[in-house]
Amino acid sequence: MTTPPSPTVAPATGRLGVLTVGLGAVASTLIAGVELSKRGLGSPIGSLTQMGTIRLGKRTEDRSPLIKDFVPLATLDDIVWGAWDVFPDDAYVSASRAGVLESGKHIESISDALREVRPMQAAFERKYARNLDGEHVKPTTSKRAMLNAIREDINRFKEEKQCDRLVMIWCASTEIFIEPGRAHMDLESFEKAIDANDETISPAQLYAYAALLEGVPFANGAPNLAVDAPVLRQLATDRNIAISGKDFKTGQTLMKTVLAPMLKARMLGLSGWYSTNILGNRDGEVLDAPENFKTKEESKLGVLEDILQPSKYPELYGNVFHKVSINYYPPRGDAKEGWDNIDITGWLGYPMQIKVNFLCRDSILAAPLALDLILFSDLAARAGMGGIQEWLSFYYKSPQVAPGLYPEHDLFIQLTKLKNTLRWMMGEDVITHLGREYYEEM
Ligand SMILES: NC(=O)c1ccc[n+]([C@@H]2O[C@H](COP(=O)([O-])OP(=O)(O)OC[C@H]3O[C@@H](n4cnc5c(N)ncnc54)[C@H](O)[C@@H]3O)[C@@H](O)[C@H]2O)c1
């Protein structure tokens, strides 16, 4: 197989407008973290674009620049924030309310910058997130009118803030479960469904459609249907606009996509994986509604099967009991706790167990992923790379892949894919890890 020629990457000159749909815990933590980092008041830990290096050439060459010095990424100083939310709170109020960051240390020092980020009215309908009830919404639930209003917002924001490029990222609540149906197959049906106010067209799809119509790359931090419907996938491909997967891979699923490949690499069997979480933020409250949890459940359950390939290894993985639950428990706020009980089998079928207890902070884990997705989606746009960006699978519980392909969930294969894509983009050799050359010269 020959490697296609590397693209030409346009420089990251000018201002990058970042439109977050939702200005809740994740979005306000992202914005605050970037503003703090810009001022040297915080460290962007967890962000590959800000802290990661990339090895180039042979191991003996000692070339490992920072990723941000190797590929032309927008700098944090170039970012201009915009948002929509169901509540009118600016990023200062939202960050204070979310309770993720310490006010004295991480909010007050950047209060002016946070207060400047005031959300636009949301395109919202309660039937898609029953546990939310905000007033800061567009005065219409006509899908066509909402779509047009989002498009106007995008253009007004771009002009007012004098942005050269935009990226949109969904950091809003998880919508109810919707499977792609007739309305999502092609543009004609989709357009008709919008005019008919078809229930299977949710606000997330309208934001995503508006983004694509305005030529804006779209990333989805939640598991609900958006650009992963056939119609929008095709539109993104036809218009050469970058789209990627859905649902930030932050906590329990991140662990799963590290541990499950290890079991498979060692050919250890698995009989059950019981995962439960307690979570007390607004996300937990929205996910307390069964229709919204179902969307999350589908996204969380998919990974094991794709990694373990039970049809190839029926004896090891043919009968796995996999259970995931999330319990809304307000005292914990954003400090999520996840428990995993993993029942495995070894030599001659002897049972063993692994227990994982991850005491994490949801938005602290999600914010750096959101930043990387923004900067890499913008990079893809400047490299003329449109349609599905499989190399960004690294960030998602549900990576988006070409129809007929199974997604790659193994975190380290995803990282290799991402770094090789960067090498390829910049005309460097991709790294196969074969390593024969080191021994041929001996
Ligand atoms: N934090 C993590 O580790 C993590 C991981 C994976 C996915 N996610 C997802 O990221 C999303 C954001 O999480 P969060 O903790 O910030 O939640 P949050 O509830 O604090 O914030 C979501 C915000 O979206 C707003 N919103 C809802 N519908 C909207 C609409 N149609 N238009 C505009 N705004 C809308 C809500 O009012 C709320 O302020 C959730 O869907 C969550 O499931 C988070």
Side-chain angles (χ1 to χ4, degrees):
M1 234 182 311
T2 50
T3 312
S6 300
T8 307
V9 189
T13 42
R15 307 177 102 192
L16 173 65
V18 175
L19 287 162
T20 70
V21 189
L23 185 56
V26 171
S28 62
T29 307
L30 160 74
I31 296 170
V34 169
E35 294 302 320
L36 288 161
S37 298
K38 271 163 56 175
R39 293 164 178 76
L41 299 173
S43 185
I45 295 177
S47 161
L48 191 67
T49 59
Q50 303 307 301
M51 307 201 89
T53 61
I54 182 163
R55 194 249 285 186
L56 305 174
K58 288 163 68 169
R59 265 185 273 165
T60 44
E61 287 177 34
D62 197 21
R63 284 198 296 147
S64 290
L66 283 168
I67 286 174
K68 66 178 178 180
D69 294 336
F70 173 58
V71 285
L73 295 176
T75 67
L76 302 187
D77 288 318
D78 295 337
I79 293 180
V80 185
W81 304 104
W84 289 272
D85 205 285
V86 171
F87 298 98
D89 306 337
D90 60 36
Y92 174 85
V93 176
S94 173
S96 308
R97 193 201 151 279
V100 177
L101 302 175
E102 281 178 40
S103 158
K105 200 166 159 198
H106 288 137
I107 298 183
E108 288 310 326
S109 53
I110 47 161
S111 61
D112 290 350
L114 293 178
R115 284 201 192 278
E116 266 175 36
V117 189
R118 287 182 290 276
M120 300 178 270
Q121 286 179 332
F124 180 70
E125 275 186 86
R126 259 195 96 184
K127 66 177 152 205
Y128 299 97
R130 189 158 55 76
N131 288 359
L132 264 190
D133 192 10
E135 302 279 293
H136 190 60
V137 297
K138 301 207 181 295
T140 175
T141 49
S142 146
K143 313 248 176 203
R144 176 67 61 193
M146 285 199 282
L147 174 68
N148 290 339
I150 300 168
R151 295 184 68 180
E152 281 164 26
D153 289 344
I154 296 173
N155 289 317
R156 197 182 50 251
F157 170 81
K158 187 171 182 192
E159 206 181 302
E160 277 176 15
K161 303 283 180 186
Q162 297 174 356
C163 299
D164 296 84
R165 308 172 311 282
L166 298 176
V167 170
M168 190 187 294
I169 184 160
W170 178 272
C171 294
S173 316
T174 300
E175 294 182 338
I176 58 170
F177 184 65
I178 298 174
E179 263 179 308
R182 281 229 311 276
H184 305 101
M185 289 305 140
D186 53 58
L187 265 185
E188 202 188 328
S189 321
F190 195 62
E191 278 281 321
K192 268 196 197 141
I194 291 174
D195 284 329
N197 281 325
D198 185 322
E199 287 204 329
T200 64
I201 310 282
S202 69
Q205 296 167 46
L206 296 176
Y207 282 103
Y209 189 30
L212 298 184
L213 291 173
E214 299 305 330
V216 177
F218 183 91
N220 185 2
N224 43 253
L225 190 67
V227 284
D228 45 327
V231 56
L232 296 188
R233 186 183 65 228
Q234 192 57 49
L235 186 66
T237 309
D238 294 345
R239 296 199 170 196
N240 208 33
I241 304 163
I243 56 172
S244 37
K246 59 181 185 178
D247 205 4
F248 298 130
K249 181 158 86 171
T250 48
Q252 199 165 52
T253 311
L254 175 68
M255 289 288 182
K256 239 170 225 175
T257 61
V258 171
L259 289 175
M262 177 273 284
L263 297 177
K264 189 172 150 205
R266 288 278 188 232
M267 289 286 106
L268 293 167
L270 181 70
S271 54
W273 197 312
Y274 178 84
S275 302
T276 188
N277 299 272
I278 53 174
L279 175 64
N281 58 15
R282 192 185 278 153
D283 184 30
E285 191 177 350
V286 170
L287 292 174
D288 213 31
E291 309 85 338
N292 297 75
F293 176 65
K294 173 140 177 62
T295 313
K296 195 62 136 183
E297 189 181 27
E298 290 284 319
S299 176
K300 280 175 165 273
L301 283 176
V303 292
L304 273 192
E305 178 140 340
D306 286 326
I307 291 175
L308 298 174
Q309 298 175 300
S311 57
K312 281 204 174 65
Y313 306 98
E315 191 182 346
L316 297 173
Y317 309 120
N319 190 20
V320 175
F321 187 91
H322 187 195
K323 168 89 187 152
V324 180
S325 60
I326 298 180
N327 299 294
Y328 177 50
Y329 179 61
R332 273 302 167 83
D334 200 66
K336 181 158 83 179
E337 181 160 357
W339 289 273
D340 288 90
N341 170 74
I342 311 158
D343 284 293
I344 65 171
T345 51
W347 188 244
L348 308 174
Y350 280 88
M352 297 175 271
Q353 292 184 357
I354 302 173
K355 311 274 180 190
V356 180
N357 182 198
F358 192 8
L359 287 90
C360 57
R361 292 173 188 266
D362 234 14
S363 304
I364 294 295
L365 291 171
L369 309 197
L371 174 62
D372 285 0
L373 280 168
I374 290 162
L375 296 181
F376 280 147
S377 298
D378 172 54
L379 175 71
R382 280 180 289 106
M385 291 161 62
I388 297 171
Q389 305 299 308
E390 202 194 316
W391 59 287
L392 298 178
S393 299
F394 180 64
Y395 294 104
Y396 292 114
K397 286 194 199 68
S398 303
Q400 204 171 347
V401 288
L405 269 189
Y406 65 83
E408 188 52 76
H409 286 289
D410 178 326
L411 188 77
F412 297 104
I413 295 180
Q414 292 174 332
L415 180 63
T416 303
K417 191 188 283 279
L418 187 158
K419 288 192 170 179
N420 269 340
T421 304
L422 298 180
R423 292 180 184 108
W424 165 75
M425 272 172 141
M426 302 310 291
E428 287 280 341
D429 288 343
V430 299
I431 289 181
T432 64
H433 299 286
L434 179 64
R436 292 294 305 159
E437 64 274 22
Y438 301 114
Y439 299 90
E440 277 157 8
E441 288 160 15
M442 279 176 110

